[in-house]
Amino acid sequence: MDIVENLAEWQTQFNKTWLQNYKETGEVNWRLYKRPRNTQSPSTPGIDLAQSKLMLISTAGGYLPASQPAFDAENDLGDYSIRTFASDTPASEIAFAHTHYDHAAVDADSQSLLPLQHLQDMVQAGQIGALSDVVSYSGYMPDVAQIVNETAPAIVAAAKAAGVQGALLVPA
Amino acid sequence: MGLIARALEMEGIATTLTCWAKQIRLTAAPRVTLTQLPRGMTLGTPNDAAQQRRVLAATLALLAQDSPLELIQLDEEEGSWR
């Protein structure tokens, strides 16, 4: 099982088309972009959430401006780094660096995209055993090989270090 | 994001994901709910805590089952808020 089936083939095609065009013109052309396609899903046993530690993983570009650098949201080639912050971080301390979605909803109510309070409430109610730190990244990432080789290992390492049994993934 | 779910599952960590993009199917992520909500409000309409909690509960409920599961379509869409 691989994260991306036929990654080498995908990368060759990406390099020859989308990336080559970008290097030559400085323009992003999504008509040249081909999404990877997987045919097989991985398998894990179900878990008892009430007895488990859960990690929220968000692509909304959330970061702590007081202590962390912003994501490079203006980079046409993407930013593949991650940030982590405590799950009880007040919403007022989180900013969002991501230029590929409308921030109106998250600005009006951060729970619509980063449900920290809802998850805390579920812990208090005994529905979730515990929460780990949040893993956050900016989800504009055209180079799938960099996701596989940089972002995914960093997130897996964070999840293992935190000792989580489950993860909730929320794209922006 | 489905690719991150796969990476975690391959290390034995159960994952679940909620999304508005049909293209998520291409990643073959193991547990997914798909809504009709727009990009930028993945959990629900701003200030509609009940809807946000419904999406969250339906998505987290998938963790109780062995993966992979068939994608679950949720009948949730943007309400009035602007």
Side-chain angles (χ1 to χ4, degrees):
Chain A
M1 181 71 66
D2 294 313
I3 298 173
V4 174
E5 300 165 5
N6 302 315
L7 179 60
E9 180 183 325
W10 181 91
Q11 187 162 28
T12 298
Q13 195 269 348
F14 172 76
N15 290 345
K16 286 182 177 177
T17 56
W18 190 95
L19 186 58
Q20 183 66 30
N21 177 75
Y22 183 77
K23 288 178 176 177
E24 292 175 356
T25 68
E27 299 292 329
V28 171
N29 184 347
W30 293 111
R31 287 177 296 179
L32 300 174
Y33 192 81
K34 183 179 179 183
R35 294 177 183 274
R37 293 172 181 263
N38 287 324
T39 59
Q40 302 292 318
S41 292
S43 177
T44 56
I47 60 172
D48 179 357
L49 190 56
Q51 302 298 321
S52 301
K53 192 174 188 181
L54 182 76
M55 172 175 276
L56 171 63
I57 303 174
S58 165
T59 72
Y63 70 104
L64 306 181
S67 58
Q68 297 174 336
F71 294 99
D72 187 6
E74 301 291 340
N75 189 339
D76 288 335
L77 298 177
D79 181 340
Y80 299 82
S81 63
I82 68 170
R83 310 283 184 271
T84 61
F85 50 83
S87 59
D88 61 355
T89 302
S92 60
E93 295 181 11
I94 302 170
F96 295 90
H98 192 319
T99 57
H100 295 266
Y101 70 90
D102 183 351
H103 288 211
V106 74
D107 288 346
D109 175 11
S110 64
Q111 300 305 304
S112 65
L113 189 55
L114 194 70
L116 295 177
Q117 187 58 55
H118 292 316
L119 292 173
Q120 296 283 353
D121 292 346
M122 293 181 75
V123 172
Q124 292 298 317
Q127 297 167 308
I128 297 173
L131 296 172
S132 74
D133 283 357
V134 177
V135 166
S136 175
Y137 61 100
S138 190
Y140 173 78
M141 302 168 128
D143 188 346
V144 171
Q146 279 190 265
I147 298 174
V148 171
N149 295 322
E150 297 175 27
T151 313
I155 294 174
V156 167
K160 285 185 170 181
V164 302
Q165 291 77 48
L168 167 66
L169 295 92
V170 180
Chain B
M1 181 139 250
L3 302 182
I4 301 300
R6 292 172 64 88
L8 290 164
E9 293 265 337
M10 288 163 56
E11 295 295 330
I13 297 170
T15 68
T16 189
L17 185 160
T18 186
C19 189
W20 34 261
K22 294 177 181 175
Q23 297 94 324
I24 192 67
R25 296 177 189 273
L26 299 178
T27 67
R31 297 181 189 85
V32 177
T33 61
L34 185 66
T35 71
Q36 299 172 56
L37 290 156
R39 188 172 199 167
M41 56 178 81
T42 309
L43 269 299
T45 307
N47 304 316
D48 186 346
Q51 182 185 51
Q52 296 162 11
R53 285 194 289 261
R54 284 198 305 273
V55 173
L56 198 52
T59 304
L60 289 173
L62 302 184
L63 285 171
Q65 302 177 57
D66 297 349
S67 66
L69 302 175
E70 291 294 320
L71 182 147
I72 304 295
Q73 182 78 49
L74 300 180
D75 188 25
E76 299 285 356
E77 57 187 21
E78 182 181 9
S80 176
W81 67 280
R82 294 179 192 268

